[in-house]
Amino acid sequence: MRVKPYLQNPTDGGITVMWQTSVPCTGVVEYGTSPDSMTRERTLLDGQADWGTMHKVRLSGLQPGLKYYYRVISREILRYGAYRKTLGDSATSELKSFTLPSPASKDFTAIVFNDLHQHSETFKALCKHIKKVDYDFVVFNGDCIDDPQSHAQATRFLKELNKGVGADSVPVFYIRGNHEIRGAFSTGLRNLFDYAGGNVYSAFNWGDTRFVIVQPSAIAGKP
């Protein structure tokens, strides 16, 4: 796996699992409230199974407050012909878990980072302060994967961010800052995320609290 699974968009009774592979693969998520009894979900595009190196699977109909276990399975596609398809080896991720918030919950902990500007050492130093914190979700509040020039560059720091906060077990919101809309890969950056409501601006509930995500200007200080 090029990028291990990370959780996105925990809204409307669902959550999105994303990951990347280094070669074209099919992608499936196994999930359930027990590791011994899990169902499978995959992404269909106009009735066809989605495949490639970027994987995004939406899990819907989840119950708030319940602990869910999941893992992803990627199977390499060696040949994708019109009448014959050849599949290769499979890779299975570690078993992880997550819990969606109950609408009645009033207490939670969120970790917010912003303006990291791809400074790895700064991020690592900050992560040392949250090792003993039991947080429910994480927000990267803009200018973190800044001025992206290529998919490889953006993915490299995305992996660092996901690993630092344990994004395979707690959902992460990546918010677009004014520096995320600069650079050759700025238009491709959104493919790495699943935004709530499908837009870079949105709103979501966590327990009894409402969060609003606004869209920044490309130039600081301008509306």
Side-chain angles (χ1 to χ4, degrees), residues 15-216:
I15 201 166
T16 300
V17 183
M18 299 187 68
W19 72 101
Q20 294 183 38
T21 51
S22 56
V23 295
C25 293
T26 60
V28 173
V29 177
E30 291 186 334
Y31 72 103
T33 54
S34 169
D36 300 320
S37 179
M38 298 198 292
T39 187
R40 287 191 166 195
E41 187 63 70
R42 60 179 178 169
T43 297
L44 298 179
L45 296 177
D46 299 323
Q48 293 183 284
D50 189 24
W51 63 279
T53 58
M54 303 283 295
H55 305 277
K56 178 191 292 186
V57 176
R58 182 70 177 173
L59 308 181
S60 303
L62 305 181
Q63 296 298 312
L66 286 183
K67 184 177 184 178
Y68 285 88
Y69 298 88
Y70 82 97
R71 60 187 167 222
V72 306
I73 301 173
S74 307
R75 188 169 187 184
E76 184 178 3
I77 294 181
L78 300 175
R79 181 176 181 271
Y80 197 96
Y83 301 101
R84 182 179 178 183
K85 299 169 179 61
T86 305
L87 302 178
D89 294 333
S90 296
T92 303
S93 69
E94 295 179 69
L95 186 69
K96 295 292 181 177
S97 64
F98 63 86
T99 303
L100 293 181
S102 168
S105 63
K106 298 181 179 180
D107 297 321
F108 60 86
T109 300
I111 303 294
V112 181
F113 297 89
N114 59 272
D115 293 278
L116 292 173
H117 293 285
Q118 299 191 57
H119 292 161
S120 297
E121 294 306 314
T122 298
F123 178 61
K124 291 176 182 177
L126 292 172
C127 285
K128 291 180 181 179
H129 295 279
I130 63 172
K131 283 186 176 181
K132 297 182 179 180
V133 178
D134 185 18
Y135 47 90
D136 297 281
F137 66 93
V138 176
V139 178
F140 287 105
N141 191 30
D143 292 355
C144 292
I145 307 178
D146 63 315
D147 306 345
Q149 294 302 314
S150 66
H151 178 266
Q153 176 203 359
T155 294
R156 187 164 51 251
F157 198 55
L158 173 68
K159 289 173 64 175
E160 289 188 40
L161 298 179
N162 287 343
K163 181 180 179 180
V165 300
D168 53 3
S169 299
V170 296
V172 176
F173 293 88
Y174 281 96
I175 298 177
R176 190 170 79 166
N178 64 298
H179 277 273
E180 269 86 4
I181 47 181
R182 304 175 184 179
F185 190 66
S186 58
T187 55
L189 197 61
R190 72 161 14 253
N191 294 326
L192 304 181
F193 312 122
D194 187 37
Y195 295 117
N199 298 308
V200 293
Y201 55 90
S202 62
F204 67 94
N205 292 337
W206 194 276
D208 64 349
T209 303
R210 185 71 166 170
F211 292 84
V212 177
I213 300 173
V214 298
Q215 168 60 47

